[in-house]
Amino acid sequence: MRCKTGIVIVSLITIWLFSVLGQAPKATAASPAVEAKSQVAAAEKKWLNAFYRLDAAVLETSESSDFTFVAPPAMVTRDQQLKLVQQRFATAGTPRTPTTYEIGNQTIRVYGDVGLVSDVCTVLGGSDSRIISPGRYWQTEVWRKEGSTWKLVHVHISSVEHGM
């Protein structure tokens, strides 16, 4: 009797192993955290491109209604920033070429519906209507998920000093 019970148990385990091992591996979806980081990164790239191209329409759709921008010595609201961008873009003789930039040392963290981006932006040049002069800048951005869209809530930019 013991031998038959052992054979039945071994047979059941064997059948179970073959059924599990014979299955095709299930596709794994990106974790919500990885997907959220990717979405914030894409939103940030879209915003930065618009910022350095003086594209007020994209800035307006990318920023929250309570957006603030700090670049010493000033802090401006979304409406003030958009007005400045529109004035700079409308200036006679303003080149339409974008200011070129590179992002380094980027960290993106997501906490639920809030994303925090920090990096060093090296502004290389381009347009004569630069918002920021060529140089290296620390950037910190706060993003908030509104519905299915990430909106920029706050940006703080300051100059990298002492070779940091």
Side-chain angles (χ1 to χ4, degrees):
M1 183 73 167
R2 265 181 153 183
C3 186
K4 287 183 181 179
T5 305
I7 291 173
V8 169
I9 291 173
V10 169
S11 297
L12 290 174
I13 290 173
T14 304
I15 291 169
W16 176 78
L17 280 173
F18 279 115
S19 70
V20 169
L21 294 175
Q23 292 179 358
K26 295 179 181 175
T28 56
S31 73
V34 170
E35 188 174 330
K37 283 183 181 183
S38 176
Q39 291 170 351
V40 170
E44 190 225 13
K45 184 172 183 164
K46 179 180 176 182
W47 183 84
L48 282 172
N49 286 336
F51 180 73
Y52 287 113
R53 280 193 328 262
L54 300 175
D55 188 338
V58 172
L59 294 174
E60 187 171 13
T61 61
S62 298
E63 298 169 353
S64 67
S65 60
D66 59 344
F67 171 80
T68 53
F69 187 101
V70 176
M75 182 170 98
V76 296
T77 66
R78 175 179 157 211
D79 292 340
Q80 291 167 328
Q81 177 216 19
L82 292 174
K83 185 177 179 182
L84 289 169
V85 167
Q86 289 164 347
Q87 287 172 348
R88 286 188 175 130
F89 193 81
T91 302
T94 300
R96 300 301 191 243
T97 57
T99 298
T100 55
Y101 67 93
E102 293 175 355
I103 298 296
N105 301 330
Q106 187 175 68
T107 302
I108 300 174
R109 292 175 281 175
V110 176
Y111 307 99
D113 288 344
V114 175
L116 178 64
V117 178
S118 56
D119 55 47
V120 175
C121 180
T122 303
V123 178
L124 303 170
S127 171
D128 288 336
S129 62
R130 293 180 193 101
I131 294 173
I132 295 178
S133 300
R136 293 180 68 216
Y137 299 90
W138 292 111
Q139 295 183 147
T140 303
E141 303 163 10
V142 179
W143 292 82
R144 176 178 61 221
K145 193 166 188 179
E146 296 180 3
S148 62
T149 305
W150 287 93
K151 297 279 188 164
L152 187 56
V153 176
H154 180 78
V155 174
H156 185 134
I157 297 176
S158 56
S159 180
V160 174
E161 295 181 22
H162 308 295
M164 293 178 64

